[in-house]
């Protein structure tokens, strides 16, 4: 399951549960200075219910919020028109945030949390820079360096995973790992997540982590059910659908599939990070086999046209593109039981689906078999 789809699923479960952090409450006092812009809203978000519990407006670069919340609640400070947010625990100790250097003072627990958050963000930024740098290269240079890039990217993913695990392992005696558990199933794997949350460490008993654990269990059960629906199409004739091309003209999938060519129907979106990471493999496959009778039809799960068109150009995807711009309510999601991306269908010249979910080496191997 891709990371973003997993987050949405878990948050929906969490919101339904609304498990309180404890029977106790604690005062919070949060002040900020050197905020980037006056007049913008600042929000205190309870991460369990995924909603605001307080707000303020920046005046003369400062803001202040005071109130009560559950003791040790996992919170975030979110600012309008800013990508950065500040994770906090409501330990009852006042917190001061300086936006000039993204520092936190006051609560010792939250000072340490901020340091760990910066460490995690730095590792992720390194990974993202590597990917964006590769995708920004001219096509010829990307083609020539693809193998080296994929090896380096895999190494960087492992470095990011090591950073996240180190933060968790170093803080098993406190609540800090709570703030880093949300994407552990994706980064470190489900088995490691289960191992961590099954311990008797303080963070493993925190209601946010308990909700994540319950959400993952439900997500896995639903995924297994969805996988059954997904795999049912293999060996069957493709199902037709209709979506618009980049100029708004409607096309049926049957215009391209079952017409004597091998076709990869690729489910993707411009906002999907794993799709972006996988796309060099898809581009390489297209380049190698297109002249031999291989076609790709991209079915996008975007909801806005401009990012969709921009990604097609920037990721250099020279094949057929269709979308109804309905996000997860796309007709493709309904017809083909798509609940996570990237995903794809490999369809033979007669219109029979022979494989699904081919990525990386698996895609290359299957196409080599088809065109041997």
């Amino acid at each position: 399951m891709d990371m973003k789809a997993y987050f949405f699923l878990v948050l929906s479960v969490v919101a339904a549960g609304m498990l309180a952090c404890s029977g106790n409450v604690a005062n919070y006092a949060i002040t900020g200075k050197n905020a980037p812009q006056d007049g913008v809203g600042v929000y205190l978000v309870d991460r369990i219910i995924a909603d605001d519990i307080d707000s303020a407006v920046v005046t003369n670069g400062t803001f202040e919020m005071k109130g009560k919340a559950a003791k040790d609640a996992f919170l975030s400070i979110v600012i309008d028109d800013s990508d950065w947010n500040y994770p906090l625990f409501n330990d009852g100790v006042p917190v001061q945030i300086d936006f000039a250097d993204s520092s936190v003072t006051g609560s010792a627990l939250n000072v340490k949390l901020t340091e760990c958050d910066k460490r995690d963000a730095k590792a992720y930024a390194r990974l993202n820079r590597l990917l964006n740098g590769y995708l920004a290269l001219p096509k010829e240079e990307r083609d020539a360096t693809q193998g080296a890039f994929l090896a380096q990217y895999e190494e960087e993913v492992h470095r990011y995973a090591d950073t996240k695990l180190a933060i968790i392992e170093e803080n098993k005696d406190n609540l800090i790992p709570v703030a880093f558990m949300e994407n552990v199933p994706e980064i470190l794997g489900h088995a490691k997540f289960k191992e961590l949350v099954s311990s008797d460490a303080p963070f493993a008993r925190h209601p946010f982590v308990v909700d994540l654990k319950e959400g993952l269990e439900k997500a896995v059960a639903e995924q297994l059910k969805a996988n059954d629906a997904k795999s049912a199409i293999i060996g069957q004739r493709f199902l037709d659908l209709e979506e618009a091309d980049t100029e708004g003209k409607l096309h049926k999938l049957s215009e391209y599939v079952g017409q004597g060519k091998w076709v990869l129907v690729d489910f993707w979106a411009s906002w999907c990070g794993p799709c972006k990471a996988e796309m060099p493999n898809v581009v390489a496959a297209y380049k190698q086999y297109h002249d031999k009778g291989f076609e790709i039809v991209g079915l996008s799960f975007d909801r806005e046209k401009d990012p969709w068109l921009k990604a097609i150009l920037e990721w250099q995807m020279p094949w057929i593109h269709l979308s109804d711009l309905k996000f997860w309510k796309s007709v493709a999601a309904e017809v083909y039981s798509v609940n996570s991306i990237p995903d794809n269908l490999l369809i033979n010249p007669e219109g029979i689906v022979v494989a699904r979910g081919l990525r990386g080496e698996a895609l290359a191997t299957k196409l080599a078999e088809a065109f041997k």
Side-chain angles (χ1 to χ4, degrees), residues 16-93:
M18 293 192 181
L19 186 65
C21 278
S22 73
N24 299 321
V25 296
N27 293 322
Y28 62 80
I30 304 166
T31 57
K33 64 180 181 179
N34 297 317
Q37 182 180 347
D38 283 351
V40 299
V42 181
Y43 306 93
L44 183 62
V45 178
D46 186 311
R47 296 292 300 277
I48 285 186
I49 64 173
D51 205 356
D52 308 341
I53 60 172
D54 202 350
S55 63
V57 176
V58 175
T59 304
N60 295 323
T62 67
F63 73 86
E64 181 178 10
M65 288 186 283
K66 291 184 177 181
K68 293 181 181 293
K71 178 73 168 65
D72 295 328
F74 180 34
L75 311 172
S76 285
I77 297 290
V78 179
I79 308 167
D80 278 340
D81 302 323
S82 173
D83 293 333
W84 189 257
N85 69 80
Y86 296 80
L88 298 169
F89 291 107
N90 185 34
D91 61 356
V93 181

Side-chain angles (χ1 to χ4, degrees), residues 118-134 149 152-153 155-164:
K118 289 180 179 179
R119 185 173 155 195
D120 182 81
K122 183 178 180 180
Y124 180 76
R126 216 169 32 234
L127 178 66
N128 209 34
R129 279 196 303 272
L130 176 63
L131 177 59
N132 289 335
Y134 173 75
F149 161 73
Q152 188 178 3
Y153 187 76
E155 180 181 345
E156 201 63 55
V157 168
H158 287 304
R159 287 182 64 187
Y160 177 48
D162 289 344
T163 298
K164 184 172 291 291

Side-chain angles (χ1 to χ4, degrees), residues 187-253:
I187 302 301
L188 299 177
H190 289 194
K192 189 62 179 179
F193 176 82
K194 289 181 180 179
E195 175 191 328
L196 291 169
V197 301
S198 297
S199 71
D200 59 357
F203 77 88
R205 301 191 298 271
H206 191 282
F208 183 77
V209 174
V210 172
D211 276 358
L212 286 177
K213 181 180 178 181
E214 294 175 353
L216 178 64
E217 290 171 352
K218 183 175 180 179
V220 168
E222 291 180 352
Q223 185 64 42
L224 290 173
K225 183 178 179 180
N227 286 344
D228 289 341
K230 284 183 174 183
S231 61
I233 192 66
I234 298 175
Q236 305 297 315
R237 184 168 178 79
F238 79 96
L239 303 173
D240 209 1
L241 56 79
E242 187 176 59
E243 292 187 352
D245 64 16
T246 57
E247 296 180 353
K249 183 180 178 181
L250 290 173
H251 291 274
K252 289 187 175 182
L253 194 58

Side-chain angles (χ1 to χ4, degrees), residues 320-348:
I320 300 157
H321 290 281
L322 305 175
S323 182
D324 53 15
L325 299 176
K326 292 184 178 180
F327 198 42
W328 289 111
K329 293 184 179 180
S330 167
V331 64
E334 180 179 355
V335 171
Y336 286 108
S337 301
V338 181
N339 62 355
S340 64
I341 52 177
D343 193 6
N344 56 47
L345 305 170
L346 182 62
I347 305 174
N348 72 15

